[in-house]
Amino acid sequence: MEGLKRYWPLLLLAALLLGGIGWWVNRQAEKAQVEEELAQAQGIVRVLSATFANKAALKVGEVNGTLDVTSVDPGAIPALRSAQKATIPYSVGYTLDLSALGADDYRWDPASRTLVIRVPLVTAEPPNIDEAKRSVHGTSGIFVTRGASTNLARRASQLATAEAGRIAAEPKNLAKAQANAETVVADLAKAPLDAAGLGPVTVRVVTPASGVRDGERWDVSRSIEQVLAERRQAR
């Protein structure tokens, strides 16, 4: 027993040394994992930034139909007042600008292999009024001058444009276009990710308002590089 006590300092030193080596090995493994996650995230950002760089006006939806409008020309005097009923086809496209996406718009969770892409809201284009397919159902007035006819047609176009813009701005139509935009962006992202050899990746697309709904709660104010760099410093 006395002999064993003599070796306790050496045994304690050996235990501390082995523990330190184990801690160092684990530390290096953790750092290597974070470095790999960072490199993977940066690679994803580069691939998708190149893919979306020229997508300044990506078409993601359209609302269309026909509008019945009644235009009125007051005339120089009340007796020359005229009116016209017409049906005019219209269409309004929705676009999404992806050209300004940066590293802070991507969130990568390596554990679940989920990529979250934050995109802006869709915007409605100016309404397109198909004047060539305008159909007139009736014109009223004692005497409709050429100038009055021109005014009636112009007024009908203005009314149709305003109404088409109102329809395009309806929440249900905007929501439908936004949902379609999320599908389009996810499909666009999957092809280059597959080509880059990253393996199976789940892509989710959100807007700034919706944020990250599940999985790891990334801080949306920081980029991928910042989040992973802080992890690296903490380990």
Side-chain angles (χ1 to χ4, degrees):
M1 191 68 177
E2 290 295 330
L4 184 59
K5 288 182 178 181
R6 292 169 54 191
Y7 292 103
W8 276 3
L10 293 175
L11 293 175
L12 180 60
L13 180 60
L16 292 173
L17 182 61
L18 290 174
I21 292 174
W23 175 87
W24 184 85
V25 170
N26 289 335
R27 181 77 170 179
Q28 296 305 308
E30 290 175 354
K31 287 183 177 180
Q33 180 182 354
V34 172
E35 292 289 349
E36 182 180 353
E37 292 177 4
L38 178 58
Q40 194 174 53
Q42 290 172 328
I44 289 173
V45 170
R46 285 194 296 269
V47 168
L48 293 184
S49 293
T51 300
F52 297 147
N54 297 320
K55 305 294 184 182
L58 180 66
K59 184 74 174 287
V60 295
E62 182 181 273
V63 60
N64 56 63
T66 58
L67 295 169
D68 293 324
V69 297
T70 299
S71 55
V72 175
D73 178 69
I77 58 176
L80 295 180
R81 182 183 185 278
S82 58
Q84 188 177 82
K85 293 182 178 180
T87 298
I88 308 176
Y90 76 94
S91 64
V92 181
Y94 296 94
T95 59
L96 183 66
D97 184 1
L98 299 177
S99 63
L101 292 189
D104 59 337
D105 294 308
Y106 301 97
R107 302 290 177 266
W108 171 241
D109 180 6
S112 63
R113 298 192 60 76
T114 298
L115 173 66
V116 179
I117 305 175
R118 184 176 59 184
V119 300
L121 296 174
V122 299
T123 57
E125 297 177 328
N128 177 43
I129 304 301
D130 194 344
E131 301 286 356
K133 294 184 179 179
R134 174 205 306 263
S135 58
V136 177
H137 302 302
T139 303
S140 61
I142 298 175
F143 179 69
V144 181
T145 65
R146 180 178 299 180
S149 295
T150 300
N151 290 337
L152 289 171
R154 181 172 58 250
R155 179 57 179 159
S157 180
Q158 292 172 344
L159 291 172
T161 298
E163 180 62 12
R166 186 196 65 77
I167 292 173
E170 289 181 355
K172 64 177 182 180
N173 291 326
L174 286 171
K176 183 177 179 179
Q178 192 69 47
N180 191 53
E182 295 175 7
T183 300
V184 170
V185 173
D187 290 343
L188 281 174
K190 288 178 181 177
L193 292 177
D194 290 343
L198 294 173
V201 174
T202 299
V203 179
R204 290 184 48 245
V205 181
V206 300
T207 64
S210 60
V212 181
R213 293 185 292 267
D214 53 31
E216 184 172 358
R217 305 298 293 184
W218 291 84
D219 183 345
V220 296
S221 66
R222 296 176 297 163
S223 68
I224 285 177
E225 289 89 340
Q226 289 173 319
V227 172
L228 294 181
E230 289 179 10
R231 284 186 176 185
R232 179 173 52 192
Q233 293 172 359
R235 292 184 176 181

